[in-house]
Amino acid sequence: MFRMYDLIEKKKNGEELTKEEIEFIVQGYTDGSIYDYQMSAFLMAVYFNGMTKQETFELTMAMEASGDTLDLSEIKGVKVDKHSTGGVGDKTTLVLAPMIAALDVPVAKMSGRGLGHTGGTIDKLEAFPGFLTSLPEETFIQNVNEHKIAVAGQTKNLAPADKKIYALRDATACVNSIPLIASSIMSKKLASGADGICLDVKVGSGAFMKNEADAQCLAKTMVDIGTFANKKVVAVLTNMDEPLGNAVGNTLEVMEAIDSLKGNGPKDLMEVVFALGSQMLLMAGRASSEEEANKLLQSTIDSGAAYDKFKEFVKIQGGNPEDVDHMESLLSAKVVSDVVALKDGYVAKIEAEQIGHASMIMGGGRASKEDDIDLSVGIILRKKVGDFVKANEPIATVYANDSSLCEKAKEEILDSYQFSDTKTQGKPMVIKTIK
Ligand code: URA
């Protein structure tokens, strides 16, 4: 039997913990026999001293083992999942999942809700009246077998240790630790049962990882955990310096995703969709080169197959597929108002986090987990980095349900834009792929 005091001391001194010691900590904290004050001290020691690869793997496996796991073995074929570390305007899953499913590769995806300035796929899907984001396990499996697609919120108790540890990290300034983030994400992904996992690791001002070196380290740590656990894991580092695409806010993002499936997607969003999609097709053995994968992905847009698959997906999860054709009718924001540029210039930077925050304060996101959200509010960015704008020209349009919140959001949006006299070259969207 171990003593938590000794294990905190060991980590404080920078020594490596064993599998049994890590299991003791995770089990003890989950069942309440280890108290918050000791766990907080332990997490802070990890924050400062880090963890070895082996320790990070053992922590992941112990958190995965703390709850239920999904058994997807009844689904035929290589099941692929994708996960984003979180960004602003990130509607990639809504575009990518039907494209992959249209190529007969099973997509079995557990998604989350948004918190703070970042959005979540499950909230966005609720823009369709009647859409069921919570599916019984049998229905989830049946939908993937018959239609190749299911995207749902977590129903089983996956990785409860992570839920408890994450809440404590959040309250004790210990979120930003690479072994803690990697084990948190991977414990849930491994418990979700897919054979292949494609990770979209966001880098930039709107992301957890503000610089490329940290993002690369996080990506490599997660890929290594996958290798230890015998899963195919690929991480793609993508840019999150400005919001992805033009729409931010739930219904608005669904509208942009639908437009993208019709072939009118914004360039930055589609670059990310293709980069992740090609890795998913390679993982599933559906393509043997990135070039072939990209052609296949493009064919799902050109033929309308991905659009039709999206309608089928909405239908089998309880929504009305006709809504996909007329999504704008679901946008019920009462106040629509433009943010205009004060002078001529090129857009040099848009602080993604501020844009996410502006949408959140109008009700588009949650400040805390219990908050309700307003699906119809949000922002359309009319100008992105590198675009020229004239004085009084709209740079963004705000959709709100409260005029004073609309004004606050407009101020924040204007503040998030930086201008320059010369054209700024945007950074590449896809920075690196790590396998
Ligand atoms: N997302 C997670 O699930 N966990 C983290 O620690 C950070 C982002």
Side-chain angles (χ1 to χ4, degrees), residues 166 169 180-181 184-185 188 208:
Y166 189 88
R169 285 166 56 208
L180 295 180
I181 297 176
S184 164
I185 292 175
K188 287 172 288 203
F208 264 118

Side-chain angles (χ1 to χ4, degrees), residues 50-328:
M51 280 187 143
T52 63
K53 264 189 194 180
Q54 192 64 37
E55 283 180 306
T56 310
F57 174 66
E58 300 301 354
L59 177 61
T60 311
M61 299 316 277
M63 291 203 292
E64 185 204 351
S66 68
D68 301 328
T69 48
L70 269 183
D71 179 2
L72 302 182
S73 57
E74 277 179 39
I75 301 174
K76 300 175 277 293
V78 182
K79 282 82 64 185
V80 290
D81 190 358
K82 84 152 265 274
H83 179 82
S84 154
T85 56
V88 180
D90 186 6
K91 67 285 291 173
T92 310
T93 296
L94 297 174
V95 187
L96 186 51
M99 288 169 75
I100 299 288
L103 291 165
D104 274 337
V105 173
V107 180
K109 175 146 178 55
M110 287 283 148
S111 277
R113 295 193 179 273
L115 187 60
H117 70 279
T118 62
T121 303
I122 289 302
D123 294 325
K124 293 171 199 175
L125 286 168
E126 284 179 351
F128 292 103
F131 193 97
L132 299 171
T133 51
S134 171
L135 293 179
E137 196 171 342
E138 310 77 66
T139 313
F140 184 86
I141 290 175
Q142 190 185 344
N143 285 0
V144 183
N145 264 334
E146 289 176 12
H147 303 274
K148 304 292 173 208
I149 185 165
V151 181
Q154 212 170 285
T155 42
K156 280 185 142 186
N157 192 21
L158 303 186
D162 171 63
K163 207 178 269 171
K164 217 173 156 191
I165 295 172
Y166 189 88
L168 189 64
R169 285 166 56 208
D170 204 19
T172 56
C174 285
V175 169
N176 234 359
S177 145
I178 287 175
L180 295 180
I181 297 176
S183 55
S184 164
I185 292 175
M186 290 304 289
S187 62
K188 287 172 288 203
K189 287 287 115 183
L190 295 178
S192 306
D195 305 306
I197 303 160
C198 185
L199 299 164
D200 180 5
V201 179
K202 303 281 187 200
V203 192
S205 63
F208 264 118
M209 296 289 126
K210 307 287 179 206
N211 66 64
E212 194 180 319
D214 285 347
Q216 190 166 329
C217 183
L218 174 64
K220 179 88 178 72
T221 306
M222 292 194 287
V223 170
D224 286 346
I225 292 170
T227 310
F228 273 125
N230 272 326
K231 296 269 182 187
K232 295 183 194 180
V233 179
V234 178
V236 184
L237 263 59
T238 67
N239 188 331
M240 186 37 75
D241 269 336
E242 61 177 333
L244 191 60
N246 298 87
V248 177
N250 298 281
T251 304
L252 290 170
E253 289 190 44
V254 175
M255 286 166 65
E256 185 165 73
I258 292 170
D259 267 351
S260 304
L261 290 168
K262 286 184 186 161
N264 307 318
K267 188 168 167 289
D268 57 349
L269 170 64
M270 295 316 283
E271 270 184 54
V272 173
V273 165
F274 274 73
L276 298 173
S278 60
Q279 295 306 325
M280 288 166 84
L281 295 183
L282 289 172
M283 257 193 286
R286 182 69 175 79
S288 49
S289 68
E290 282 180 26
E291 197 190 355
E292 187 195 353
N294 284 330
K295 276 192 189 147
L296 285 168
L297 290 167
Q298 188 61 47
S299 73
T300 68
I301 305 267
D302 296 343
S303 66
Y307 184 79
D308 291 344
K309 183 58 79 174
F310 189 72
K311 287 179 81 170
E312 183 183 336
F313 162 59
V314 169
K315 183 169 179 215
I316 55 170
Q317 289 202 207
N320 178 359
E322 300 304 312
D323 286 340
V324 177
D325 297 327
H326 310 286
M327 199 63 203
E328 60 296 338

